[in-house]
């Protein structure tokens, strides 16, 4: 047309805006234009397509200047039905920029797009596809998820339409993966890789995403991709020669194909595999050739292909030859001028170090990497160098690498220090051949970067020192020496305090580190420390009283000092008070029992490693052997709140367990400390003492995950058993081996006295002779209004029993007799202890218990959606140990436990096989006693 | 302590840059340009903190004036200084625009050397400055000027005078006709609810004096300030009954004086006495909030007729003596942002829809007191994609009236010159009151 696409009005408007002298002038001009457009768009006027396009364009321009546009949407939609390309284009542009996805007009827009998609003109189809992709909403995915693939595989669609369709589909799948049916199109989409045209870069992106979403359906793309890749890479083919970029044939497509191949395992057919290996070799070879151009684009595109090829080689991880060659190639890059290349080389090498074939090749570059750490200017590259050093560390080079990392730590960037500290700590632990080296390294670590040494690191060193007899003396000596430095880090004081408290006696023989010297040294740091460290030091002091009775008066002086007794920190106050009382009232024997050396920690996964994993989930490939079972957590969990503290009376027997052997009879150890304590301390104080000591234990548990033997395998819980308007019955149970203790708390909720109160455990015929019940003393016969009384029952499991014993409760309220029968929460599984075993053990035992009488199997409907994790938690709660990596099918749950009774120990094994489709479970229990198997089976079914 | 002073044109190009302290770097002026002048969002705060440096700016026409400091200065002092600087420049070369500034580079730098010393404000009084910065400004309209060189005697005289006790006036001034002009200039600010309730109102006033008096005259200024009158009542019962009995007095909330006013006398006797500066100066500034007589009342009536139509009717009532005439009346009625057309009908004056300002502007040249006039308009609206509620900005108006809305009256201005032989009666005195609108708004 003669007016054409000139849109003079728009040009004038834009030049007006550009000529505005000030912001105010600009906004005035825009207001004027908006008013003008509004008057044109008024309902009673009809506009031709050209004017509509012009005004919509102006609105778009105003929007791009940062003003809100809230009209003109209808006019833009009208433009879509125009036949002129430019008008349609502007309409689509406005819609993709300005129409929100929840607009009322969306239906109309979708209808218009549908019309355009089926249009014979490719340009119109393209516009519509672009609009779909630009909006990319869920609604669009739903409307066109089925349409777009048709275009993609259509016989007569042009290349440009197919390209747009591929990218559009990619966007829709990312928005709503379920919008498309994958299997239906798979074979035809895969064969797009054979297409002649360059648009298949877009298609490869699409196929890459599709294979990630539905790997099975798109498996066929591997061989096609390999052949495509080989045609590009091998110079004999002239395929895609038009797409050579700075002498590199189709670099983008190559990279995409290499990425696609990383979605799948190595192709199994030897021909394909051979061809792929050949391709990768060719790519590696090409890098050895002299560059064909000095332009940076040439080397960039060549390297892009190379790095992606190396990623694929690492992914395949079964071609030693390729891996070593890749490693050598990367080695060359380590000293390259280009920082990015150095970074990428280090990063890829980190992965190579994890492969068994190339690990040695990587280690050859140790010198270069260490050098990079020292001289590299870019911090991110240094970070990668640290990662690589960590990855390549092994027994032979650990001492050197750790030393280098320690040296670098001094000038390392603050951001990576904490991570480096963790890495040094892990390496030194993992490859420690001699524990003196380990202790030295960690102490040096604390000295060099004390602020970055996290709790886990120094907890770990203490765990290891306590568990290794050979390291203790050396540790005490070194710690003592380190503490002599005028300024030492608080973490050092913590480690020093703990270790000297435990093993100070090992170095006390020396004149220079006599008890008093040790104490004075520690106490000289006391005032500079935070309350938590001071609390730890107070515990050290009380331990000193036990270790060195000769300095007891000095320490007591410190404990009784007002600085401690009247400290603003309650924790310190309590510790000082309790410790000074403990030291002055108790006999040496009691002290020695309470304050005995900590028992060795059970082995478990290093807490440091867990922390590093948390920090960088992907980068940790090293795992440490062994696994701790932390028990203190369960204690903590059951400690619900301070208000319930007084209910913890019997938990307080725990501190006395510190030194006790686990074989001590439960009843005895429940009684003894009480009596013992009563003899020496007034009752009110007793309670406090117990509580505090229990808390101390927790604090020790906090600072050092202690594995107090008394607590291991001890299970307890509490809750309200029964409640009505008159009385509340609380219960707290503890079980250990075949012994159980039930604490009952009777609370009178009324204001009056409950009289003739009696509570007795009644054993039905099914329990006679299977459970022994002993009460420590009879409960009081009356309960005052609002008061609470306690009553303890000791139980012993003699043999298997089912159900649970009853508690008979009788009392008289305002002369009306009342009777309540309650079930005590004493069930056979409370006497069960989980047993950890490996796959071999499990199945050999499983086979041993193969007689039909020993097995019970049930198949039942799942009441909740099947959730393996939840089931595992339930199993653990039941008392069994849920075993991992035992059953070949990860969905199946496997557990094992031992029921401990006085007469026998009954082993139980269990398999739970869920069937997700049918929502059914099959539960199989085998036990040495058939009765037990049946019982457990029926209980678990519930 | 101002660290530096910059002047920019509307594009953000630096016209004048003067740095007084070392803590301000050269990049400070770039920081202001990037963060304020060229900021993506319009910066409304006059004080901007960028990297622990404070920028105080004000705009005159298309020129940005910006003072920079790193210290914790009194912001009001800085703005007071900037305003003074604007006054000074205006009195030297007229309107502040890019061309004038470019033509007067040398003068401006000379002024900047004088008004600030190491960042501390010095003399900013135009009269005093003109005694020693005699360079005439170059105005756009060329004026003939004679700039004779000063003799040595004159320069020593200037030094002694500027550093002397009465720094604002030199000795030996002679006029054939002793004449003085007194202007009471007030601006009324108002915010009124649609129902006619006053939400806030205050008057900011200035007393500007232009004196052409010979010698070193001593003046005494009297007005109907409540405190002064009360004071008079106590000291002289008889007199007060005669002079102020029945006459209304006003309560001044706070006031500031030109440096020539003897504050000690004001403290003790509440009398304003001074030796005036020669030429024009601002004698005092004050603020009142009580008993303001509002010259105009705006009564708005807004009605939504249909989804796409609304009707606005505004009645204007003048509320002062019928003999007086208000001038330059302009009422601005905001229109919704989706207005697509406006029909206006008014009885008096001219009214027009200004799309660029999203408002109907109604202008009247003059209006007598106790009159009423009205305008009505029909506004067509375009339906919008999102239903955003229009914020209904208030109707604002401008005017000028020939009285002081605060009620301030000049009672007397006496002139004594003991050395020369003229007395109070020989001086020709002129008094003028002008009341202008400040922010005079009525919600609708």
């Amino acid at each position: 047309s003669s007016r054409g696409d000139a849109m003079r009005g728009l040009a004038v408007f834009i030049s007006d805006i550009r000529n505005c002298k000030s912001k105010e002038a600009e906004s005035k001009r825009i207001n004027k234009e908006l008013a003008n457009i509004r008057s044109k768009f008024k309902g009673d006027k009809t506009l031709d397509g050209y004017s509509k396009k012009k005004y919509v364009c102006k609105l778009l321009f105003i929007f791009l200047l940062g003003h809100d546009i809230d009209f003109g949407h209808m006019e833009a939609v009208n433009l879509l039905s125009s036949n002129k390309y430019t008008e349609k284009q502007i309409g689509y542009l406005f819609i993709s920029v300005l129409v929100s996805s929840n607009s009322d007009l969306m239906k109309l827009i979708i209808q218009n797009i549908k019309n355009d998609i089926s249009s014979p003109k490719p340009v119109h189809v393209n516009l519509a596809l672009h609009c779909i992709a630009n909006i990319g909403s869920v609604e669009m995915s739903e409307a066109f998820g089925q349409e777009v693939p048709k275009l993609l595989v259509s016989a007569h669609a042009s290349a440009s339409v197919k390209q747009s369709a591929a990218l559009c589909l990619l966007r829709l799948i990312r928005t709503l993966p379920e919008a498309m049916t994958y299997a239906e199109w798979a074979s035809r989409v895969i064969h797009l890789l054979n297409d002649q045209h360059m648009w298949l870069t877009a298609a490869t992106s699409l196929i890459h995403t599709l294979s990630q979403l539905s790997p099975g359906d798109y498996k066929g793309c591997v061989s096609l991709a390999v052949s495509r890749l080989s045609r590009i890479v091998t110079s004999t083919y002239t395929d895609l020669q038009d797409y050579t970029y700075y002498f590199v044939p189709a670099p983008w497509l190559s990279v995409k194909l290499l990425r696609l191949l990383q979605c799948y395992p190595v192709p199994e057919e030897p021909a394909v595999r051979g061809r792929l290996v050949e391709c990768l070799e060719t790519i590696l070879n090409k890098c050895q050739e002299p560059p064909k151009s000095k332009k940076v684009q040439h080397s960039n595109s060549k390297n892009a292909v190379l790095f992606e090829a190396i990623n694929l080689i690492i992914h395949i991880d079964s071609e030693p030859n390729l891996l070593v060659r890749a490693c050598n190639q990367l080695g060359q890059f380590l000293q390259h001028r280009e920082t990015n290349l150095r970074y990428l080389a280090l990063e890829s090498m980190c992965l190579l170090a994890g492969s068994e074939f190339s690990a040695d090749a990587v280690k050859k570059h140790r010198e270069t990497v260490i050098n990079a750490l020292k001289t590299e200017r870019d911090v991110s590259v240094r970070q990668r160098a640290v990662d690589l050093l960590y990855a390549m560390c092994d027994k032979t080079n650990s001492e050197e690498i750790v030393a280098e990392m320690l040296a670098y730590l001094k000038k390392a960037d603050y951001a990576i220090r904490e991570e480096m500290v963790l890495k040094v700590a892990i390496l030194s632990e993992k490859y420690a051949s001699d524990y003196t080296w380990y202790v030295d390294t960690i102490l040096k670590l604390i000295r060099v970067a004390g602020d970055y040494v996290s709790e886990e690191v120094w907890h770990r060193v203490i765990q290891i020192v306590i568990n290794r007899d050979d390291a203790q003396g050396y540790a005490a000596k070194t710690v003592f020496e380190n503490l002599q430095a005028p300024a030492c880090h608080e973490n050092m004081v913590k480690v020093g305090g703990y270790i000297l408290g435990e093993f100070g006696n090992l170095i006390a023989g020396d004149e220079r580190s006599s008890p008093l010297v040790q104490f004075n040294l520690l106490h000289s740091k006391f005032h500079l420390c935070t309350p938590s460290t001071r609390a730890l030091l107070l515990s050290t002091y009380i331990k000193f009283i036990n270790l060195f009775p000769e300095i007891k008066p000095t320490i007591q002086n410190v404990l009784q000092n007002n600085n401690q007794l009247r400290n603003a920190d309650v924790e310190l106050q309590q510790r000082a008070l309790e410790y000074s009382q403990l030291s002055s009232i108790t006999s040496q024997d009691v002290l020695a029992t309470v304050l005995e050396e900590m028992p060795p920690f059970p082995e478990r996964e290093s807490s440091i490693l867990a922390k590093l994993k948390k920090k960088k989930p992907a980068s940790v490939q090293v795992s440490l052997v062994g696994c701790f079972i932390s028990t203190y957590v369960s204690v903590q969990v059951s400690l619900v709140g301070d208000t319930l503290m007084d209910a913890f009376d019997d938990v307080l027997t725990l501190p006395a367990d510190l030194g006790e052997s686990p074989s001590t009879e439960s009843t005895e150890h429940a009684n003894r400390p009480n009596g013992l304590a009563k003899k020496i301390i007034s009752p009110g104080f007793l309670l406090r003492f117990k509580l505090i000591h229990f808390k101390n234990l927790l604090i020790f548990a906090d600072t050092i995950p202690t594995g107090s033997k008394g607590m291991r395998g001890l299970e307890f819980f509490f809750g309200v058993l029964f409640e009505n308007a008159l009385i509340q019955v609380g219960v707290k149970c503890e079980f250990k081996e075949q012994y159980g203790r039930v604490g009952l708390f009777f609370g009178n909720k009324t204001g009056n006295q409950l009289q003739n109160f009696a509570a007795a455990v009644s054993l039905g015929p099914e329990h006679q002779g299977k459970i022994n019940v002993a009460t420590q003393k009879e409960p009081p016969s009356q309960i005052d209004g609002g008061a609470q009384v306690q009553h303890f029952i000791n139980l012993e499991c003699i043999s298997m029993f089912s159900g649970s014993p009853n508690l008979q409760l009788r009392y008289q309220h305002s002369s009306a007799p009342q009777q309540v029968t309650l079930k005590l929460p004493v069930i056979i599984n409370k006497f069960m202890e989980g047993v950890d075993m490996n796959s071999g053990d499990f199945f050999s035992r499983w086979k041993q218990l193969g007689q039909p009488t020993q097995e019970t199997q049930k198949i039942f409907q799942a009441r909740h959606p099947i959730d393996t994790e939840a089931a595992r938690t339930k199993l653990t709660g039941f008392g069994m140990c849920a075993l991992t990596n035992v059953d070949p099918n990860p969905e199946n749950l496997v557990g094992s436990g031992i029921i401990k009774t006085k007469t026998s120990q009954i082993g139980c094994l269990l398999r739970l096989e869920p069937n997700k489709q049918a929502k059914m479970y099959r539960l199989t229990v085998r036990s040495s006693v058939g009765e037990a198997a049946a019982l457990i089976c029926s209980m678990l079914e519930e | 302590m101002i660290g530096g002073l910059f002047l920019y044109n509307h594009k953000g190009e630096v016209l004048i840059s003067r740095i007084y302290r070392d803590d301000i770097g050269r990049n400070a002026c770039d920081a202001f340009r990037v963060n304020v002048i060229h900021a993506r969002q319009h910066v409304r705060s006059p004080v901007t903190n960028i990297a622990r440096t404070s920028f105080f700016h004000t705009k005159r026409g298309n020129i940005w004036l910006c003072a920079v400091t790193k210290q914790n200065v009194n912001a009001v002092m800085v703005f007071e200084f900037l305003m003074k600087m604007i006054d000074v420049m205006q009195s030297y070369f007229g309107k502040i625009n890019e061309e004038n500034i470019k033509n007067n580079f040398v003068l401006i730098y000379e002024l900047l050397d004088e008004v600030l010393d190491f960042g501390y404000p010095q003399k900013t009084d135009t009269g005093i400055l003109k005694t020693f910065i005699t360079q005439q400004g170059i105005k756009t309209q060329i004026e003939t000027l004679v700039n004779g060189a000063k003799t040595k005697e004159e320069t020593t005289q200037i030094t002694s005078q500027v550093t002397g006790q009465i720094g604002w006036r030199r000795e030996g001034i002679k006029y054939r006709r002793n004449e003085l002009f007194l202007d009471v200039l007030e601006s009324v600010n108002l915010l009124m609810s649609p129902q006619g309730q006053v939400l806030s109102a205050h008057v900011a006033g200035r007393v500007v004096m232009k004196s052409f008096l010979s010698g070193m005259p001593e003046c005494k200024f009297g007005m109907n300030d409540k405190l002064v009158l009360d004071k008079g009542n106590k000291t002289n019962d008889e007199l007060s009954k005669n002079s102020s009995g029945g006459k209304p007095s006003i309560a001044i909330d706070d006031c500031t004086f030109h440096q020539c006013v003897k504050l000690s006398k004001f403290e003790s006797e509440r009398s304003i006495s001074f030796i005036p500066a020669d030429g024009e100066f601002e004698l005092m500034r004050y603020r009142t909030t009580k008993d303001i007589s509002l010259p105009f009342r705006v009564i708005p009536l807004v009605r939504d007729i249909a989804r796409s139509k609304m009707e606005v009717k505004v009645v204007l009532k003048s509320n002062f003596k019928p003999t007086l005439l208000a001038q330059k009346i302009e009422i601005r009625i905001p229109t919704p942002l989706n207005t697509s057309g406006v029909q206006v009908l008014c009885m008096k004056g001219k009214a027009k829809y200004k799309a660029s300002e999203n408002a109907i502007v109604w202008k009247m040249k003059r209006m007598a007191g106790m009159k009423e006039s009205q305008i009505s308009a029909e506004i067509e609206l375009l339906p919008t994609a999102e239903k955003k509620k229009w914020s209904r900005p208030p109707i604002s108006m401008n005017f000028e009236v020939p009285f002081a809305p605060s009620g301030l009256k000049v009672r007397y201005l006496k002139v004594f010159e003991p050395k020369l032989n003229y007395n109070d009666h020989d001086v020709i005195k002129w008094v003028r009151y002008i009341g202008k609108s400040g922010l005079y708004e009525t919600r609708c």
Side-chain angles (χ1 to χ4, degrees), chain A residues 565-744:
Chain A
L565 284 187
R566 301 198 175 166
N567 197 298
D569 190 288
V570 183
E571 182 59 44
L572 288 181
Q573 227 186 73
Q574 278 187 355
R575 284 199 187 205
L577 183 71
E578 311 307 353
Y579 288 158
S580 69
Q581 288 297 318
L582 187 67
S583 66
S584 54
I585 300 173
T586 53
S587 68
Q588 190 61 39
D589 287 347
V590 175
L591 265 186
T593 326
V594 172
L595 302 169
E596 209 197 337
E597 197 176 289
M598 294 296 272
F601 290 88
E603 281 300 318
R604 67 164 179 187
E605 189 186 8
S606 165
S607 50
I608 317 175
L609 201 64
K611 171 146 182 164
L612 186 66
K613 270 184 192 157
K614 209 162 72 186
K615 261 179 99 84
K616 283 180 87 185
S619 73
V620 181
Q621 284 124 11
V622 197
S623 69
L624 286 184
V625 206
C627 185
F628 276 96
I629 303 157
S630 69
T631 48
Y632 75 98
V633 180
S634 64
V635 178
Q636 251 176 339
V637 169
S638 49
L639 206 157
V640 176
D642 281 359
T643 48
L644 292 169
M645 274 301 224
D646 51 353
F648 265 90
D649 186 283
D650 54 350
V651 175
L652 304 170
T653 55
L654 289 173
D657 292 344
L658 269 172
E660 266 174 8
S661 72
S663 62
T664 320
E665 290 230 323
S666 169
T667 41
E668 187 192 327
H669 96 77
N671 284 329
R672 214 189 58 171
N674 273 338
L676 178 97
K678 264 182 205 140
K679 260 183 258 161
I680 48 173
I681 311 170
S682 67
F685 179 75
L686 168 74
L687 189 68
R688 298 254 314 126
F689 165 71
K690 286 171 172 177
L691 274 176
I692 285 152
H693 212 103
F694 179 60
K695 262 163 77 190
N696 282 346
L697 190 79
L698 284 186
I699 285 147
F700 261 94
D702 258 345
T703 44
I704 318 290
T706 50
S708 158
K709 282 180 183 170
M711 285 157 71
R712 211 182 325 139
L714 187 81
E715 218 195 347
F716 54 92
F717 74 92
F718 62 92
V720 174
L721 192 64
F722 171 77
E723 188 168 5
N724 65 9
L726 305 175
I727 192 165
Q728 185 189 44
V729 183
V731 68
K732 184 150 50 57
C733 307
E734 265 174 58
F735 296 94
K736 195 184 164 208
E737 296 178 353
Q738 72 266 43
Y739 301 105
R741 197 152 90 101
V742 181
L744 293 163

Side-chain angles (χ1 to χ4, degrees), chain B residues 102-291:
Chain B
K102 281 181 176 167
N103 288 335
N104 290 291
F105 272 148
V106 182
L107 170 66
I108 293 173
Y109 278 113
E110 200 174 334
L111 284 172
L112 286 177
D113 276 344
E114 213 53 63
V115 292
L116 279 177
D117 188 7
F118 196 45
Y120 293 97
Q122 304 296 308
K123 296 200 184 312
T124 50
D125 191 281
T126 320
I128 305 163
L129 283 170
K130 280 196 172 164
T131 59
F132 51 89
I133 300 182
T134 51
Q135 218 193 115
Q136 294 283 320
I138 300 161
K139 303 194 180 180
T140 359
Q141 306 100 327
I142 293 166
E143 291 163 18
T144 50
L145 24 111
V146 184
N147 194 3
K150 298 240 161 181
T151 63
K152 200 177 177 186
E153 251 174 70
E154 275 173 308
T155 44
T156 49
Q157 200 190 337
I158 288 167
T159 318
S160 69
Q161 182 249 310
V162 166
T163 54
Q165 201 183 9
I166 305 169
W168 57 90
R169 188 180 180 95
R170 64 187 170 88
E171 282 188 53
I173 300 173
K174 271 220 170 71
Y175 286 102
R176 209 149 49 82
R177 239 156 73 115
N178 288 309
E179 207 171 4
L180 67 85
F181 301 85
L182 208 59
D183 286 349
V184 177
L185 309 170
E186 292 195 341
S187 76
V188 208
N189 298 284
L190 169 77
L191 182 63
M192 192 177 254
S193 77
Q195 289 76 33
Q197 197 181 356
V198 175
L199 301 173
S200 81
H202 76 268
V203 169
R206 309 190 295 147
V207 178
V208 177
M209 187 170 170
K210 208 179 217 174
S211 71
F212 304 104
L213 300 170
S214 313
M216 295 295 264
E218 188 136 333
C219 300
K220 210 169 166 189
F221 173 67
M223 54 178 180
N224 59 339
D225 173 19
K226 208 173 225 163
L227 275 177
V228 178
L229 293 180
D230 288 353
K231 190 108 184 164
N233 276 344
K234 272 177 212 160
T235 49
N236 196 334
D237 266 353
E238 209 54 37
L239 186 78
S240 69
K241 263 178 199 163
N242 292 341
S243 65
S244 71
K247 279 193 183 168
S249 56
I250 62 159
I252 287 178
D253 285 11
D254 55 66
C255 56
T256 53
F257 294 103
H258 188 261
Q259 56 168 327
C260 65
V261 174
K262 288 170 187 156
L263 290 177
S264 57
K265 264 206 166 144
F266 181 75
E267 286 298 321
S268 59
E269 299 167 28
R270 304 289 296 183
S271 76
I272 303 165
S273 66
F274 55 96
I275 297 168
D278 197 34
E280 188 176 322
F281 69 99
E282 187 184 282
L283 180 62
M284 74 178 282
R285 260 192 245 180
Y286 59 91
R287 209 172 70 93
T288 71
T289 49
K290 284 198 192 76
D291 302 326

Side-chain angles (χ1 to χ4, degrees), chain A residues 440-475:
Chain A
D440 276 343
T441 308
I442 297 292
L443 292 182
K444 193 171 174 202
L445 196 63
I446 296 176
R447 227 171 35 232
V448 170
D451 284 338
Y452 300 92
V453 173
S454 54
E455 300 268 287
E456 286 84 352
V457 174
W458 70 264
H459 288 177
R460 191 73 188 136
V461 70
I462 284 172
Q463 285 172 15
I464 286 174
V465 167
I466 286 187
N467 287 5
R468 309 285 309 195
D469 294 340
D470 49 340
Q472 288 162 357
Y474 180 77

